[in-house]
Amino acid sequence: MAKMSKVELYAAIRRDARSGMASRALQHKHGVGFRTVQRALASVWPEPRKKLPPRKTKLDPFKPLIDQMLRVDLDAPRKQRHTVKRIFDRLVDEHDAVEVSYPMVRAYVAARRPEIKVEAGRGPPNAFVPQSHQPGVEAEVDFGDVTVVLAGEQVKCCMFAFRLSYSGKAVHRVFASGGQEAFFEGHVHAFRVLGGIPTGKVRYDNLKAAVAQVLGFSRARVETERWIAFRSHHDLEAFYCQPGIGGAHEKGGVEGDIGWFRRNHMVPVPEVGSLAELNEMVDLWDLQDEARRIGTRPRTIGEHFAIEQPLLKALPDEPFETGLLMSLRVDRYAQISVRTNHYSVPVRLIGRKVRVMVHASELIVYDGQEEVARHERLLAKAGSRLNLDHYLEALVRKPGALPGATALEQARAAGRFTPVHDAWWAAVCKAHGDRDGTRALIEVLLLARHMSHEHLVAGLASALRAGALTADAVALEARKATEADQRESLELPKEPAKADTATVTFLTERRMAHLPPDTRPLPSVAIYDQLLRRRHPGAERPVEGEGS
């Protein structure tokens, strides 16, 4: 049974009193005293509870001293005003306030300093003024931290948010970091989703991706060159908020949106295999959020956005290259260094300079106009991402370096070097020795440049079951798997195969099977017999040295 409120108790007492119950009976029925019954009969509203006087603290005797220090600060130079630490030290040193703690002083100063400023007429209280926004004019941008389980590992990523101020329509994108590439790519993605660009100002923090230097306490900023070019390309007008907590209130819409999105869509922590998979989920969540209402608005986000979208500026005809182009030299380990991380390239490029296009989630390496490597960006610092295929030419000459290669370890972790590879490698090494067996494995790995990974693994498995420990046999079985998939895609009848048996067709037999039948007669040497000298039965070979 729910507990009765005091108003309900008074109503019950008054109702029973009207029915003729005496005061003592009312006290007994409702479990209250004489005074409560009299108050209920006198008024339908209970008397408000008396507010208790503030509890005394050890700081009370020193509060006038703290107030005096804060009043002196009103006329002191800005850089020579009392900090909380200085106030606490003076109380202890000059007034023997040994029983006062630092948190007590800090809490009192935080509440009292703005009050003293208002009392002295030096400024109004910290008030928030409601704002109205015109459709298609303003927007707000910010980054927020999100934690995700990426490929089984918990990592912290950066979520870009672009929010239209009128409708509240927001576009989100998760990146490995909050660098300039992510900043630009987030804008491009938001413009594409929204179908246009705001005609007025877009509010920003003083992000390093956009601001190189904050000039004093004004709104003037020294912007980065690439950001100036990006704004000019998209005809974007930037408005920079004040540094610190005051600036957060100037773009409170996107600040609150990031928190709401994180609480409603990132709880529990999402588990994904890649950032691309996560961003597909984020795009779906953004569409679903169009059906919700913000606060007490009568219309949904989607309904307001339908009004706002036609008023946005059109997108430029030509795209802007958001990636950062770098020229790097390949070291002797066939690696390049990008933002403290190392990425592999083919060993033939050692000692040469290559061009690297760095994007927010990946980087592409070019040798001239040819793309030679593509890597997903690493999340942590001082890491390495190595592709085993880049080292195969060197491993052919140094097969003994393969078992302990870092690239091989990463290939195993990524699932590119499977247990089937290991089993075939062990079998061929047992049959032909470690050196020749490892070279045979490298020849098999080179086949991956011309056929799919799945078909190559299937070929390894078939060759292993049949005991065919050569790269040619693996290539043949991989081609058979490829042709089987092609027949399935074309819905052609399959070749009959015996169950639980592994057959290997040698290359010579396979090539002969595709030739037309040979109808020529078999060769004969009979015509050459007439060229033989007829020997007499009694003739003997003359002895060497005898005369004729």
Side-chain angles (χ1 to χ4, degrees):
M1 183 178 178
K3 186 177 180 180
M4 185 181 296
S5 67
K6 207 164 186 179
V7 175
E8 293 173 334
L9 175 63
Y10 275 30
I13 292 174
R14 294 170 66 88
R15 183 175 59 252
D16 292 339
R18 292 192 193 98
S19 64
M21 292 184 64
S23 176
R24 186 174 296 276
L26 292 172
Q27 298 173 38
H28 179 72
K29 178 179 179 181
H30 297 284
V32 297
F34 175 77
R35 292 183 179 179
T36 302
V37 172
Q38 296 304 313
R39 294 193 187 100
L41 298 177
S43 173
V44 297
W45 294 106
E47 295 181 0
R49 177 175 291 183
K50 293 182 179 180
K51 188 175 181 180
L52 296 176
R55 187 175 59 179
K56 294 184 178 181
T57 66
K58 299 290 185 180
L59 187 64
D60 289 347
F62 306 100
K63 288 181 178 180
L65 298 173
I66 297 175
D67 291 351
Q68 181 61 28
M69 296 179 194
L70 297 177
R71 291 190 182 95
V72 172
D73 282 347
L74 294 176
D75 298 318
R78 184 181 63 83
K79 294 184 178 181
Q80 291 178 249
R81 296 173 184 171
H82 284 84
T83 62
V84 177
K85 178 67 167 54
R86 180 58 182 153
I87 294 174
F88 176 73
D89 290 342
R90 287 191 61 185
L91 292 177
V92 175
D93 297 338
E94 301 176 12
H95 303 282
D96 197 26
V98 293
E99 295 184 354
V100 173
S101 66
Y102 178 81
M104 296 168 60
V105 177
R106 181 179 58 192
Y108 180 75
V109 171
R112 190 69 179 128
R113 194 191 295 271
E115 294 177 355
I116 288 180
K117 189 175 181 179
V118 173
E119 292 172 1
R122 297 297 182 90
N126 189 17
F128 296 91
V129 180
Q131 300 289 305
S132 297
H133 304 284
Q134 298 300 317
V137 177
E138 297 184 18
E140 301 171 358
V141 172
D142 201 5
F143 274 105
D145 294 335
V146 292
T147 300
V148 300
V149 178
L150 185 63
E153 181 181 359
Q154 183 169 301
V155 295
K156 182 176 288 187
C157 301
C158 293
M159 183 174 69
F160 174 88
F162 189 102
R163 181 181 184 273
L164 294 175
S165 300
Y166 171 76
S167 63
K169 169 65 177 176
V171 180
H172 305 86
R173 199 75 172 169
V174 180
F175 297 100
S177 66
Q180 193 175 60
E181 297 81 28
F183 187 60
F184 289 169
E185 289 184 22
H187 277 83
V188 172
H189 173 71
F191 295 157
R192 184 171 59 251
V193 172
L194 298 175
I197 303 171
T199 59
K201 296 179 179 179
V202 180
R203 297 176 182 268
Y204 296 94
D205 272 338
N206 301 283
L207 301 168
K208 291 183 179 180
V211 177
Q213 183 181 1
V214 178
L215 300 178
F217 295 93
S218 66
R219 298 283 183 180
R221 303 289 188 271
V222 177
E223 299 177 315
T224 62
E225 291 185 356
R226 294 191 69 217
W227 172 237
I228 295 174
F230 183 89
R231 289 200 305 103
S232 175
H233 181 81
H234 293 91
D235 191 19
L236 193 66
E237 184 177 357
F239 176 87
Y240 299 104
C241 301
Q242 298 177 357
I245 189 66
H249 296 312
E250 293 182 343
K251 54 179 183 58
V254 71
E255 295 275 356
D257 173 80
I258 290 176
W260 188 94
F261 190 91
R262 191 164 42 202
R263 291 189 300 272
N264 288 271
H265 296 305
M266 297 290 183
V267 178
V269 176
E271 299 183 15
V272 293
S274 64
L275 288 180
E277 179 184 348
L278 177 61
N279 281 318
E280 290 180 2
M281 299 165 58
V282 170
D283 292 341
L284 179 61
W285 292 334
D286 285 341
L287 288 176
Q288 294 174 351
D289 288 345
E290 291 187 4
R292 72 181 181 95
R293 288 180 171 84
I294 298 176
T296 58
R297 290 186 180 184
R299 297 180 180 179
T300 64
I301 293 175
E303 291 171 342
H304 280 99
F305 178 63
I307 300 173
E308 186 171 29
Q309 201 279 331
L311 302 177
L312 298 173
K313 287 187 296 188
L315 297 175
D317 296 332
E318 297 181 358
F320 184 89
E321 177 54 66
T322 59
L324 176 63
L325 185 63
M326 308 170 69
S327 180
L328 301 174
R329 187 174 296 278
V330 182
D331 63 16
R332 60 179 179 174
Y333 297 101
Q335 298 175 18
I336 54 174
S337 178
V338 180
R339 307 277 174 86
T340 75
N341 290 319
H342 291 81
Y343 303 88
S344 67
V345 298
V347 292
R348 61 181 173 84
L349 300 175
I350 289 177
R352 294 170 56 180
K353 277 195 171 183
V354 294
R355 295 186 304 116
V356 183
M357 182 63 72
V358 182
H359 294 283
S361 301
E362 68 174 2
L363 59 88
I364 308 171
V365 184
Y366 295 94
D367 178 29
Q369 299 297 323
E370 178 188 3
E371 180 183 328
V372 294
R374 185 185 291 260
H375 292 281
E376 185 179 348
R377 289 279 298 274
L378 289 165
L379 299 177
K381 293 184 178 181
S384 63
R385 175 152 286 158
L386 310 181
N387 189 342
L388 181 59
D389 182 74
H390 293 161
Y391 295 91
L392 294 181
E393 284 80 3
L395 290 171
V396 169
R397 299 190 302 270
K398 298 180 178 180
L402 179 60
T406 306
L408 176 61
E409 179 183 352
Q410 294 189 8
R412 280 198 179 101
R416 300 294 298 177
F417 196 90
T418 65
V420 178
H421 287 81
D422 278 316
W424 193 88
W425 188 12
V428 74
C429 286
K430 184 177 180 181
H432 303 293
D434 291 343
R435 180 182 177 184
D436 293 339
T438 302
R439 282 183 172 170
L441 174 68
I442 295 171
E443 291 180 12
V444 170
L445 296 176
L446 286 168
L447 295 174
R449 298 179 180 179
H450 310 290
M451 54 185 60
S452 68
H453 175 72
E454 294 77 11
H455 296 151
L456 185 59
V457 173
L460 277 169
S462 297
L464 182 62
R465 288 195 300 269
L469 304 178
T470 63
D472 287 343
V474 175
L476 181 57
E477 293 302 311
R479 292 190 190 102
K480 290 166 65 176
T482 303
E483 292 175 359
D485 283 352
Q486 292 175 352
R487 284 195 298 269
E488 288 182 359
S489 63
L490 297 175
E491 297 183 355
L492 296 178
K494 298 181 180 180
E495 295 180 358
K498 297 181 180 179
D500 299 331
T501 60
T503 60
V504 174
T505 305
F506 290 97
L507 289 176
T508 303
E509 297 179 3
R510 182 178 179 85
R511 290 168 184 154
M512 294 293 292
H514 290 79
L515 295 175
D518 189 359
T519 58
R520 295 176 298 175
L522 293 175
S524 173
V525 296
I527 59 175
Y528 296 98
D529 290 342
Q530 60 184 340
L531 299 178
L532 297 176
R533 293 175 56 186
R534 185 184 299 273
R535 289 179 178 270
H536 297 286
E540 294 182 359
R541 185 178 182 181
V543 180
E544 186 178 355
E546 294 182 358
S548 55

